[in-house]
Amino acid sequence: MKGRRTAAVAAALRWSAHRFPFVEDEVASLRAFVPPGSVCVDAGAEYGLYTWVLAALAGPSGRVHSVEPLPGPYHWLRKTARLLGARNVTVHRAALGAWCGRGNLSVPVRRGLPVHGRAYITDGANGPGPNAEFRDSRTVVAPVRTLDQLAHEVGIRRLAFVRADVEGGELGLLRGGSATLRRHRPTLLLEIERRHLAKYGAEPADVLRYLRGIGYQAHHRSHGRWVPVVRVTDDHRNYLFTI
């Protein structure tokens, strides 16, 4: 029964992917990359739109490590996992980056409410970048871990899939997970936007160059299919990387 709750939520999210703008189309396109028994990481999970879909695909023999640094979404994820009976989901309060320790996150505020999806690590950033559009922000201190550290601590033997939305911190996450990426060769789904990368002095080409160096090919979603691409363009945010 409990597994059915997660499956029902995942089915609703996949149905919503083509109908509502707050659910990304890519949510409905992951089955081929996450077979039953898969171990997955969802970095920058926020409220779990990808976490619950990955949990349903991985099934009871798999595991999803849902990683979220902000306290509000983190507690939401934990409570929702309990309500759904999603025993294959482990929620971690952390940001994934290039180092281990503690970091400062800037959380923009609109009309008195935090905009969690636009929070970013200020350490190493040169100003707020596109978050300058927000008049107010709050600072939240959170643990920072590397993907390599997470994989070692939880004993991941075979990592199949990593999804990350880290507001421009993609290169830091990848560099902090270099050993894991080379060892496990997981499929990656990364949100890549020039405007967010720029505040860390990086460009989309830097992400592609790094991943090509370890054997990855980039794809974006077009007309219901994953299509190989050689560059990141401003009309797509999410890119799939496979070996």
Side-chain angles (χ1 to χ4, degrees), residues 9 79 81 89-90 109 128 145 179 198 200 211 230 237:
V9 170
K79 290 177 182 177
V89 173
T90 301
V109 175
R145 305 167 76 180
Y200 296 104
L211 288 171
V230 296
R237 290 190 304 171

Side-chain angles (χ1 to χ4, degrees), residues 8-142:
V9 170
L13 289 169
R14 287 193 294 267
W15 178 86
S16 301
H18 306 300
R19 294 170 173 85
F20 299 104
F22 62 88
V23 181
E24 297 175 341
D25 289 350
E26 290 81 4
V27 165
S29 64
L30 304 180
R31 186 177 299 276
F33 309 104
V34 187
S38 293
V39 177
C40 308
V41 170
D42 184 10
E46 198 177 5
Y47 293 107
L49 295 183
Y50 280 91
T51 291
W52 313 125
V53 172
L54 293 172
L57 292 174
S61 61
R63 173 67 54 183
V64 177
H65 294 281
S66 187
V67 187
E68 171 55 48
L70 299 177
Y74 165 77
H75 290 299
W76 170 277
L77 287 165
R78 285 175 56 87
K79 290 177 182 177
T80 303
R82 286 197 295 269
L83 288 171
L84 295 178
R87 296 179 179 176
N88 63 343
V89 173
T90 301
V91 184
H92 306 264
R93 187 180 172 217
L96 290 188
W99 79 95
C100 301
R102 300 185 73 78
N104 298 295
L105 285 94
S106 174
V107 185
V109 175
R110 178 187 286 134
R111 297 172 185 167
L113 297 175
V115 185
H116 296 120
R118 291 284 294 274
Y120 70 97
I121 295 178
T122 60
D123 306 80
N126 183 20
N131 280 16
E133 69 179 275
F134 299 99
R135 296 182 60 183
D136 299 307
S137 65
R138 302 171 184 168
T139 298
V140 174
V141 178

Side-chain angles (χ1 to χ4, degrees), residues 96-99 146-148 169-182 200-202 206-207 209-211 214:
L96 290 188
W99 79 95
T146 64
L147 178 59
D148 285 346
E170 290 79 24
L171 274 175
L173 184 152
L174 295 172
R175 288 167 176 160
S178 59
T180 300
L181 298 182
R182 293 176 187 275
Y200 296 104
D206 297 325
V207 179
R209 188 179 304 112
Y210 182 88
L211 288 171
I214 54 177

Side-chain angles (χ1 to χ4, degrees), residues 157-226:
R157 295 182 178 179
R158 180 72 179 92
L159 180 61
F161 190 89
V162 176
R163 177 262 173 183
D165 179 358
V166 291
E167 298 299 290
E170 290 79 24
L171 274 175
L173 184 152
L174 295 172
R175 288 167 176 160
S178 59
T180 300
L181 298 182
R182 293 176 187 275
R183 178 182 178 186
H184 299 281
R185 305 292 189 180
T187 298
L188 310 174
L189 180 63
L190 306 178
E191 181 178 282
I192 302 175
E193 290 191 79
R194 184 181 307 276
R195 60 180 184 153
H196 294 303
L197 282 164
K199 64 179 176 281
Y200 296 104
E203 297 182 356
D206 297 325
V207 179
L208 266 64
R209 188 179 304 112
Y210 182 88
L211 288 171
R212 284 175 185 151
I214 54 177
Y216 279 93
Q217 167 68 54
H219 306 73
H220 70 212
R221 192 78 172 161
S222 179
H223 303 293
R225 297 173 57 246
W226 287 106

